[in-house]
């Protein structure tokens, strides 16, 4: 929670960042000069600690780098100065050993060109599907890049061929001459630097048994090659991370929102409000509000009883975790299930619409709980109880897509859970898109819908199957990316455009 403190001059100010009286999120994202200075420092010196101190207005005493005593508790407990020392070590002693051959030693890190291509997938200036396809088609045989690209393409699913929103689900790249600039997303910029510094070019399967389809970067050709080890490349340890991650979590949150994911959430809301349940330090709420301020999407005026002016993002959290930085000052401190289920809606103690009807439910990194977890409770209880309490038609979940048990439920991904336990309730997967993932991790945005949100579909349609009584034709448009019903990206008619996005320079 944010704190209100009294300064030495007697002024009352809101403290969004512990250790800083001057950091204000809404002002910081508009400070282009500081943003430029931070990115330049990261690029030229890899001085991560100073970049963090500069961006968040923390003490920057170069003569006393250990003066900041704040301890970041996450998967490890570290201080900012200790993290900088880990950054300075570089890849020594396996610090950047994210990939290995199954049953063998660590692999050398991927080339920087492949890392840049991975980062480019999530840039607003690229169309994600085209950039992903280029990430694969331009990869070398037996490379980490090819393994990652094939894996990400196999996981990606956009229901544009049968969903009522059709090709609106294909988020286009932003125009260079746009009169409405996109909101600043500092987490993405820090994340991009971390990929370069930690030599990370994207997630791969956690084992060959959990593998993606055979990798091939040659159209129409697949030959058995005993020397091709692509499908044996796996993550070294799906629970492993780097000292940088606790800093990211405390200052920004557990997962990086991309332009595509924020645009999709705004699109699915259709002018309705979003509940950011388990909102943490509020970064996703902050970014969604920035995107809402850009104006309505083409579908905002339809299928909703709410006007765009009434559209809000409600951040609800039980205040169980500690954060050094809060991005919003209006988090509703409450038990999520009780807040959703309260019989008499009011502005502060319960959901404005009982059960969240006509609202979108967003879960970012839902806790697992159970066993010896610090969260306590029954394994997966948080997610299951919220599903029972929620009466709306659109559920969005940000979490792992490799079954490492890091979010939501142990040993099962969110789409597998929904198919197994909630298919009979009419829930269908409509989106699964990769998110910018921290080194060693594998995050995605899942979106599930039911009822009227799915249009006039047959009862009994399988989750994400794309089968309908009157199948909607997406109509591949010229210059527009398209995605097939199995979640793999179809190639555009203009291959030159496809290779241009994400191609190595």
């Amino acid at each position: 929670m944010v704190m209100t403190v009294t300064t030495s001059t007697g002024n009352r100010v809101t403290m969004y960042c512990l250790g800083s009286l001057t950091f204000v999120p809404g002002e910081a994202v508009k400070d282009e000069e500081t943003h430029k200075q931070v990115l330049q420092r990261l690029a030229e010196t890899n001085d991560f600690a100073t970049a963090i101190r500069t961006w968040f207005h923390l003490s920057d005493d170069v003569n006393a780098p250990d003066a900041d005593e704040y301890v970041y508790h996450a998967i490890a407990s570290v201080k900012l100065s200790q993290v900088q020392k880990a950054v300075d070590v570089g890849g020594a002693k396996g610090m950047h050993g994210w990939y290995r051959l199954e049953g063998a030693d660590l692999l050398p890190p991927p080339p920087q060109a492949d890392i840049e291509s991975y980062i480019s997938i999530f840039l607003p200036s690229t169309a994600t599907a085209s950039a992903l396809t280029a990430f694969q088609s331009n990869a070398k045989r037996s490379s980490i890049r090819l393994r990652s690209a094939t894996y990400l393409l196999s996981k990606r699913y956009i229901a544009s061929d049968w969903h009522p929103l059709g090709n609106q689900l294909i988020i286009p790249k932003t125009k260079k001459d746009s009169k409405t600039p996109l909101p600043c997303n500092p987490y993405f910029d820090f994340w991009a630097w971390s990929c370069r510094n930690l030599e990370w070019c994207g997630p791969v399967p956690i084992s060959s048994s959990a593998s993606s389809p055979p990798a091939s970067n040659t159209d129409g050709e697949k030959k058995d090659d005993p020397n091709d080890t692509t499908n044996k490349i796996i993550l070294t340890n799906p629970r492993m991370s780097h000292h940088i991650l606790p800093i990211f979590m405390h200052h920004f949150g557990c997962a990086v929102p991309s332009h595509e994911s924020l645009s999709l959430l705004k699109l699915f809301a259709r002018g309705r409000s979003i509940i950011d349940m388990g909102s943490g330090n509020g970064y996703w709420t902050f970014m969604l509000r920035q995107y809402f301020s850009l104006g309505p999407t083409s579908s905002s005026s339809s299928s909703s009883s709410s006007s765009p002016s009434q559209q809000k993002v409600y951040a609800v959290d039980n205040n169980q975790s500690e954060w050094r930085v809060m991005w919003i000052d209006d988090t509703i401190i409450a038990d999520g299930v009780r807040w959703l289920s309260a019989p008499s809606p009011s502005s502060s103690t319960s959901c404005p619409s009982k059960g969240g009807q006509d609202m979108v439910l967003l879960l970012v990194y839902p806790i697992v709980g159970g066993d010896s977890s610090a969260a306590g409770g029954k394994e997966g209880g948080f997610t299951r109880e919220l599903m029972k309490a929620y009466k709306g038609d659109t559920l969005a979940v940000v979490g792992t897509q490799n079954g490492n048990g890091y979010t939501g439920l142990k040993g099962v991904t969110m789409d597998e859970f929904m198919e197994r336990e909630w298919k009979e309730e009419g829930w269908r997967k409509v989106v699964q898109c990769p998110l910018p993932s921290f080194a060693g991790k594998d995050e995605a945005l899942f979106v599930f819908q039911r009822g009227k949100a799915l249009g006039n579909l047959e009862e009994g349609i399988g989750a994400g199957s794309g089968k309908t009584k009157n199948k909607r034709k997406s109509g591949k448009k010229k210059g527009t990316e398209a995605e097939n019903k199995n979640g793999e990206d179809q190639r555009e008619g203009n291959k030159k455009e496809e290779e241009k996005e994400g191609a190595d320079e």
Side-chain angles (χ1 to χ4, degrees), residues 309 438 450 462 474:
S309 62
F438 185 77
R450 64 179 173 184
S474 60

Side-chain angles (χ1 to χ4, degrees), residues 246-504:
I247 311 298
F248 278 177
M249 286 183 168
H250 270 263
H251 284 267
F252 298 106
C254 297
V256 186
S258 63
H259 170 63
E260 181 185 41
S261 63
L262 293 168
S263 299
L264 282 169
L265 288 172
K266 180 179 178 180
L267 180 67
F268 282 118
R270 306 190 321 278
R272 302 174 296 172
S273 293
I274 293 178
I275 305 166
D276 183 1
M277 186 66 72
S279 56
N281 72 352
Y283 189 79
W284 277 75
T285 290
F286 178 84
M287 289 304 302
L288 280 169
R289 288 172 177 173
Q290 299 293 304
Y291 267 65
F292 279 3
S293 70
L294 296 176
T297 60
S298 56
S299 66
S300 293
S301 59
S302 62
S303 304
S304 173
S305 59
S306 303
S307 66
S309 62
Q310 296 175 314
Q311 187 176 32
K312 298 179 180 179
V313 183
Y314 293 87
V316 183
D317 196 88
N318 64 3
N319 206 25
Q320 176 178 282
S321 301
E322 177 185 298
W323 310 89
R324 182 166 196 179
V325 177
M326 290 296 297
W327 286 82
I328 57 175
D329 61 4
D330 60 347
T331 302
I332 300 169
I333 306 302
D335 175 85
V337 174
R338 292 178 182 175
W339 187 80
L340 274 175
S341 306
S344 302
S346 67
S347 60
S348 60
T349 61
S350 62
C351 182
S353 172
K354 186 179 177 181
Q357 296 182 42
D358 203 31
M359 301 176 78
V360 174
L361 179 62
L362 169 64
L363 308 179
V364 178
Y365 252 53
I367 58 174
V368 175
D371 299 335
S372 59
S373 169
K378 183 181 179 181
E379 184 271 319
F382 176 75
T383 303
R384 287 189 172 91
E385 293 305 311
L386 281 174
M387 287 297 301
K388 293 177 183 177
Y390 179 55
K391 305 304 179 184
D393 61 18
T394 303
L395 168 71
V397 181
V398 172
T400 182
Q401 62 175 356
N402 65 2
N404 63 3
Y406 204 65
T407 60
L409 303 105
K410 287 187 177 180
V412 61
T413 58
M414 194 64 195
D415 56 332
E416 293 168 341
F417 164 71
M418 292 295 289
E419 173 75 10
R420 183 183 70 193
E421 299 190 23
W422 292 92
K423 180 179 178 180
E424 297 304 315
E425 299 294 325
W427 287 103
R428 305 292 177 255
K429 183 172 75 172
V430 296
V431 160
Q432 180 176 341
C433 64
L435 290 171
S437 295
F438 185 77
K441 302 302 177 186
D442 181 15
E443 280 90 37
L445 169 68
F446 300 85
V447 180
F448 307 90
Q449 291 189 305
R450 64 179 173 184
K452 294 181 180 179
L454 295 175
N456 298 319
L457 303 184
E458 278 186 327
E459 292 295 328
I461 173 178
S465 69
K467 296 179 181 178
T468 66
K469 187 173 183 179
N470 297 307
K471 185 176 178 181
R472 179 189 182 98
K473 296 182 179 180
S474 60
K476 194 188 300 182
K477 299 179 180 179
K478 183 178 180 180
T480 303
E481 56 183 319
E483 316 220 11
N484 70 12
K485 64 185 179 181
N486 295 317
E488 299 176 354
D489 299 78
Q490 294 179 338
R491 297 194 179 274
E492 293 182 347
N494 188 344
K495 188 174 181 180
K496 291 183 180 179
E497 175 68 17
E498 186 175 84
E499 293 179 346
K500 180 180 179 182
E501 296 192 18
D504 302 332

Side-chain angles (χ1 to χ4, degrees), residues 38-95:
V38 166
L39 294 183
Q40 183 176 355
R41 181 179 288 274
L42 287 171
E44 295 178 354
T45 67
N46 288 322
D47 190 347
F48 175 63
T50 300
I52 287 289
R53 287 196 294 266
T54 301
W55 219 94
F56 291 95
H57 301 191
L58 295 165
S59 173
D60 192 15
D61 187 350
V62 294
N63 297 315
D66 297 324
D68 187 354
E69 291 297 318
Y70 187 87
V71 178
Y72 297 85
H73 297 289
I75 49 181
S77 296
V78 295
K79 295 181 181 179
L80 191 54
S81 58
Q82 294 172 322
V83 174
Q84 184 58 51
K85 291 176 182 177
V87 170
D88 294 340
V89 168
K93 299 181 180 180
M95 290 286 282

Side-chain angles (χ1 to χ4, degrees), residues 121-144:
I121 293 170
F122 306 100
L123 291 172
S125 58
T126 63
T128 303
S130 296
L132 257 175
T133 305
F135 187 48
Q136 181 188 55
S137 62
N138 296 325
K140 294 182 179 179
R141 184 181 293 275
S142 298
S143 66
I144 295 171

